[in-house]
Amino acid sequence: MTMPASLTPRGERMRETLLNTALTLFATHGYHETTMRDIAAAAGCSPGLTYRYFNSKEDLVLALYERLATEFEAHVATLPRMPLAERFQRIMLLRFRQVEPYRKIYQAILGSALSPQNELGVLGEQTQELRAAAQHLFVQVAQGASDAPNAAQVLEVGQVLYAAHMCLVLFWLYDETPGYRATYELLELAYDGLRIGRPLLLVPPAAHALARLSRALTPVFGRI
Amino acid sequence: MTMPASLTPRGERMRETLLNTALTLFATHGYHETTMRDIAAAAGCSPGLTYRYFNSKEDLVLALYERLATEFEAHVATLPRMPLAERFQRIMLLRFRQVEPYRKIYQAILGSALSPQNELGVLGEQTQELRAAAQHLFVQVAQGASDAPNAAQVLEVGQVLYAAHMCLVLFWLYDETPGYRATYELLELAYDGLRIGRPLLLVPPAAHALARLSRALTPVFGRI
């Protein structure tokens, strides 16, 4: 990510303008159909100057990820102290509302985002920091629950919820049912599963299964 | 898929030669780095003739899918009558052994294979038949179990196992642990889950949850 170390307020505004222009063009003309030159022209910025802010379209997508991550962090911070199942459901509803305007962009870049050979992919090298931050937010979802599990289990639950969140978003990108009915049905099932599963974490075999699941997910999703 | 309606034995052999040559080149030089012209040259076939068998590299990948599907079908047919958990574990072990030689090819095409806008994608229009056949194989995995559930539940279990299989293969493509340890840990967890979950299907709330899960998955993975 080539984020200029420090920008003047005017530079900051230009960067925002370029990002907003890019997102509008991606949404209306398509991600693959939009060139850096189109973005520069629509933002009234010279191509040369544009490249000082963003090296590539991938860089713009990373900037979108970062913006969404900051917003999402604020959402998590405002979650009331409720049972774990409710906190997860509520944060996922907020998540879907947040990414819905970018659904077409996500679908367009999903191929490269999911390619294991792409450093900028969701599980790639260059997105590691964003990923670690997102994992930590799901730890917070568990930690702030009125029925929060113990310190070790909070990390394990965070890892599992983070992975579940990735699967739900992936599913949603394929879901063409009206109002994303199928995705919300899965989310309801996750809610029921967490409601029933939470008390079971006091029972050693279930606690052991959670630990195993979290450990198995770690090499792919990253250490918490 | 442009599969010639009928090929002479000689044509059949040429098609096999082209496919094998392509797979070797994909594995050694990389999928994206190999052109149709390279494949033709390596197979000692004129480019013009090559295009009579395969329109594109995507067509070759579809032919690989088909070959693997036929092999996999034979594997399922030879599964002994065992408990459901064991049948699923065994078929997944066979699956991983089967696709391992093509891991790099799968990784290279994963991006386009998972793009929701790609008709040739794993969940796209043109692969619908192959997908329906694969779903049916997982119904067979459940149906042939010594503890097979009832007729309605067999379809639901088949749908869930099919989706689980897709997730496990996706996870495996990212798994860089030695010997795919993380993937096998997940598979062990799936085994334990099925062993414990199977008797629960007699209990109405669990039966209801299975029905809901299967229904939610259907719009994305396809009707069984």
Side-chain angles (χ1 to χ4, degrees), chain A residues 19-65:
Chain A
L19 178 55
N20 290 333
T21 307
L23 294 178
T24 306
L25 288 178
F26 291 164
T28 50
H29 289 69
Y31 176 77
H32 296 294
E33 291 73 12
T34 303
T35 64
M36 286 296 282
R37 191 166 280 275
D38 297 336
I39 297 163
C45 185
S46 76
L49 190 57
T50 300
Y51 281 103
R52 278 212 236 154
Y53 293 97
F54 297 103
N55 273 329
S56 61
K57 289 197 285 180
E58 286 74 28
D59 239 15
L60 283 153
V61 170
L62 268 186
L64 169 63
Y65 285 171

Side-chain angles (χ1 to χ4, degrees), chain B residues 123-191:
Chain B
L123 296 173
E125 284 283 334
Q126 289 204 41
T127 55
Q128 204 170 338
E129 257 177 63
L130 279 168
R131 206 156 59 242
Q135 280 176 321
H136 183 68
L137 291 180
F138 284 95
V139 171
Q140 270 178 259
V141 168
Q143 211 154 30
S146 54
D147 56 354
N150 67 46
Q153 284 188 335
V154 151
L155 295 179
E156 294 164 358
V157 169
Q159 179 72 287
V160 172
L161 294 185
Y162 173 67
H165 149 261
M166 297 279 256
C167 292
L168 282 166
V169 171
L170 181 59
F171 184 87
W172 170 73
L173 289 173
Y174 285 106
D175 182 4
E176 298 293 344
T177 55
Y180 315 118
R181 184 185 43 76
T183 303
Y184 290 119
E185 278 175 20
L186 280 189
L187 195 52
E188 277 293 321
L189 278 162
Y191 173 81

Side-chain angles (χ1 to χ4, degrees), chain B residues 191-204:
Chain B
Y191 173 81
D192 290 347
L194 284 172
R195 205 169 39 81
I196 294 163
R198 172 62 195 92
L200 288 177
L201 295 186
L202 301 171
V203 187

Side-chain angles (χ1 to χ4, degrees), chain A residues 111 114 171 174 182 192 212 216 219, chain B residues 111 114 171 174 177 182 192 212 216 219:
Chain A
L114 282 180
F171 185 87
Y174 286 105
D192 290 347
R212 284 166 63 200
Chain B
L114 282 179
F171 184 87
Y174 285 106
T177 55
D192 290 347
R212 285 167 63 201

